[in-house]
Structure formats: structure tokens, C-alpha cells
Amino acid sequence: MEFSGIIVAAGSGSRAGGDKQWRRLGGKPVVRWSVEAMLATGRAREIVVVVPADEVARAESALQGLPGWRPAAGGETRADSVRAGLSSLRCGPEAVVLIHDAARPLLDTQLIHGMLAEFLRPDADGFAYALPVADSLRRAGEGGRLGDPVDRAGLWRMQTPQGFLRRTVEAAYAAWSDAEPPTDETVAVQRAGGVVRLLAGDPRLMKLTFPEDFAMAEALLPRRTRVGQGFDAHRWGPGASVWLCGVEIAHDQALIGHSDADAGLHALTDALLGAMGDGDIGDHFPPTDPRWKGASSDRFLVHAVERLQARGGRLVNVDVTLICERPKVKPHRQAMRQRLAGLLSLPLDAVSVKATTTEAMGFTGRGEGLAAQAIATIDLPA
């Protein structure tokens, strides 16, 4: 069964700090999650995204690359925005319409399929997801004191999407005469004499209302863990110091490279990029580019971290091993860990720096150069 979707994203989101539909969740704008969920069903004939009249360009940017959707200008209230979405539909009066709040981004495709299946049983005029109230309810008294208890028996927390035939919900809104608008479509349909059946909702379909809700939603996102490894080596040459893991160490030689030749940061940057499947340091900072001549390698590492964050990823821990006969790393290891922790915004116990020798074997053993290897663990939204 096909459906037409309306995603309401026209609110100010002031209680969440403003513009919540455009804020990033798991590396994507909040509104994009719901559009992608509807498209993923393969049943959406059209999707209307209702946004503030002056923010169509933001919607186009947030939903760039997604097919089958178009914007509509919202109104002052949610009801006005839903009416605008209904007016923008191209489907017929008998089409199924699913109306969803963009502020509930963790919409699962199975919930959509489940609601569509209910339309094969014509025992109601609409369907809505909801959760029973489980917490004890109390009224607030004066001065912040605890007030009287409220009986929670039979109380439900309404969710979206809510589904109706187009003719049903349009007629309900046309018949609404109160000065105050309906809080959602179920209220309008019931007032018009329709029957709405509750369906078992999903706790993950939470509404982003307050700033702290974003942290909860991030925690609820399904994620996958990935590990990347990196390796780098540089030869010794004339100089008076060496950069290792972002720390300058006085030495009778320097590492030779196009940038500052910080092998530890180079290896770690490659480990991060590798975990993301995002190429290597040479792809992002070609040694043939004069812009990176003598550049501080912490810029490369920060670049990799920013690319991870843009995808909604999180860095879990890193482990760097420096391979050399000289200089002695141990006296500087704590400073290196602290420097990396600062660059990566990680706690110190998630950053490891070690050193070893090759027992005078190979190019590091002969003092011809220094090598570094690194491992980075990340997680990404699934």
C-alpha cells in the first residue's frame, strides 16, 4: 500500500534552543531522518515537508540528494502547518496520508509498514501510535511543592505518525470551529465523529523538546564500531628538534618531511581516516601541494576528527606506538598523551602512547629513521 507523507517541521523549537529541525543528530539534520525513513519503505508516492516560509533554502540544503519530496510553507500553529501540507498533496481523497512530526526523528520503517497494514482493516477512521503513561503523575503546588496525585489509569502519550485517508482528515479540519486549534489530527477527527485506534508506539520515537533530549536521542541511535590502523615513517636529517605526537622534543636531528614530519600524528590521522573508509592522509593533504610545506600536523588530525564528527561518529580510543632507538620517548610520553587528548577531545585514559625499539635491526635500528603505527576505534551511526 502506498502513502503520501506530511512531515511537519515548521515550529521554532524554542524550548530545544531553536531551529531543532536543522540541528544535526547522528551527523544528519533532524528533519532528514524522517524523510529518509519514509523513503526507505519504498511506499511513499510523495512527501511534503512543511517548513517556515523563509527557510525553504535550509530545507533544500538539509535534504539535498533525497528524491520524492517538496517543501510547503507552514503556518503559525501546528494545525495551520498540517493544513498547508494537506493542500500541497497531489494524491486523491482516498489516499492514505501519514502525518509525522520532524521532532521525532527516530522513525522506524517497521512502524510505517505496521500502520499501513492497519488500513486493510476498515474498523477505524484513523490510527495513531501512543505509549501508556508509566510514571506516577503529580501536580505542582505553590512554591515548587509537590501537589496532588493524578490518576494515570487510561492515560496515553501520543506519538506520530498518525494516519488517515486524505478526505477524513481534511473534512475534520474543515469542520473544526473552536478558537483554539486541535493539538493533533486525532483530536480533529474525533471531534468530527471519527474513530481513531491506538497502536503500540515505540519509546525510541521520542520527541525532541528540550536541549537534553538530543543527548538521549544520540544514545538511542543504532551504531557500529570500526577500527582503523595507520603507519608512517620518516628519515632523520639535520636539525635540533623533532615533533612527535604534537610535542616538540630537543634532539640532535630532525625528521625530514613535507610537513613537520610528525610520524605519530600522521599514523594516527591515517588510522582515523581508515576507520571511516575515508582515504588516507595523502588524499586530503597531498605532499605535492605547497600549502602543506612545513605545516603543523595537528591540522591533519583535527581535519580527520571533524570529518568523523560530521558523520555523527564518535572517537572511542587511540593507541600510538613510536618505533625508534632515539630519542627516548618515555620522559615525554605523558605530555604526548595530554596533547593528543586535547586535540581529540578524549579523556586521558582513552589515549595511549608507547615506544619500542627494533633491537638495532632495520632502518630504525640503524638510526636511519623513525616509524610510528596507530590504531583508532570509532563508532558511527548504523
Side-chain angles (χ1 to χ4, degrees):
M1 176 182 292
E2 291 187 330
F3 70 95
S4 293
I6 296 175
I7 296 176
V8 185
S12 65
S14 57
R15 288 180 294 177
D19 294 340
K20 64 183 175 184
Q21 66 270 55
W22 314 125
R23 288 178 59 180
R24 300 184 80 81
L25 175 71
K28 296 184 290 189
V30 165
V31 67
R32 190 178 181 98
W33 285 88
S34 299
V35 177
E36 287 184 344
M38 286 190 174
L39 291 174
T41 65
R43 304 288 183 86
R45 63 162 64 88
E46 59 179 339
I47 300 173
V48 173
V49 182
V50 188
V51 300
D54 60 348
E55 295 192 351
V56 172
R58 295 184 77 175
E60 291 172 344
S61 175
L63 302 175
Q64 185 176 12
L66 297 183
W69 74 276
R70 61 183 178 277
E76 292 185 5
T77 68
R78 183 186 184 282
D80 290 336
S81 294
V82 172
R83 286 191 179 101
L86 289 167
S87 297
S88 298
L89 294 177
R90 297 169 182 167
C91 60
E94 301 300 316
V96 171
V97 178
L98 302 187
I99 302 169
H100 183 62
D101 294 333
R104 299 183 186 274
L106 302 186
L107 176 61
D108 189 273
T109 56
Q110 294 305 312
L111 290 174
I112 299 175
H113 286 298
M115 181 167 284
L116 294 176
E118 296 296 327
F119 283 91
L120 301 176
R121 302 167 52 191
D123 60 348
D125 299 293
F127 305 93
Y129 284 111
L131 294 172
V133 174
D135 296 324
S136 175
L137 298 177
R138 302 291 291 272
R139 298 189 187 281
E142 293 184 4
R145 295 179 181 178
L146 194 62
D148 296 332
V150 177
D151 185 3
R152 67 173 183 256
L155 295 182
W156 292 75
R157 297 160 46 203
M158 302 304 296
Q159 297 184 314
T160 63
Q162 298 177 355
F164 314 88
L165 298 184
R166 180 179 183 178
R167 59 172 170 79
T168 300
V169 67
E170 284 188 324
Y173 269 115
W176 188 267
S177 59
D178 287 6
E180 289 294 320
T183 54
D184 66 14
E185 289 61 64
T186 64
V187 175
V189 170
Q190 286 182 295
R191 177 73 65 84
V195 175
V196 179
R197 188 145 55 80
L198 294 178
L199 306 178
D202 186 339
R204 293 171 297 179
L205 199 54
M206 60 179 290
K207 186 177 181 181
L208 301 177
T209 303
F210 303 106
E212 57 268 25
D213 293 337
F214 280 81
M216 177 65 75
E218 287 279 1
L220 291 174
L221 291 176
R223 308 187 77 89
R224 60 186 185 274
T225 300
R226 291 182 172 182
V227 177
Q229 60 134 7
F231 178 85
D232 192 45
H234 288 278
R235 66 171 58 90
W236 289 112
S241 67
V242 58
W243 284 92
L244 291 174
C245 293
V247 174
E248 187 176 20
I249 302 171
H251 191 50
D252 57 4
Q253 289 180 298
L255 291 173
I256 306 302
H258 186 64
S259 63
D260 63 7
D262 189 327
L265 291 189
H266 293 180
L268 186 51
T269 300
D270 263 350
L272 272 171
L273 294 171
M276 291 184 281
D278 196 14
D280 61 28
I281 194 170
D283 295 326
H284 296 265
F285 303 97
T288 55
D289 190 334
R291 288 182 299 169
W292 313 123
K293 178 67 174 176
S296 174
S297 295
D298 56 6
R299 296 172 62 183
F300 308 157
L301 184 61
V302 169
H303 170 79
V305 172
E306 289 173 346
R307 292 183 69 85
L308 174 65
Q309 292 171 341
R311 292 174 57 178
R314 297 183 299 210
L315 184 57
V316 179
N317 76 294
V318 298
D319 185 11
V320 180
T321 301
L322 301 172
I323 306 167
C324 59
E325 299 293 330
R326 294 189 314 125
K328 295 299 182 182
V329 171
K330 188 173 183 180
H332 310 283
R333 186 167 62 185
Q334 191 68 4
M336 293 178 185
R337 293 179 66 209
Q338 291 172 343
R339 176 63 172 152
L340 290 179
L343 290 171
L344 302 171
S345 298
L346 282 177
L348 194 61
D349 64 359
V351 177
S352 172
V353 175
K354 309 188 300 294
T356 190
T357 72
T358 55
E359 300 294 337
M361 298 181 292
F363 73 91
T364 60
R366 293 190 298 269
E368 298 170 5
L370 177 147
Q373 61 184 26
I375 293 176
T377 306
I378 66 172
D379 67 26
L380 290 168

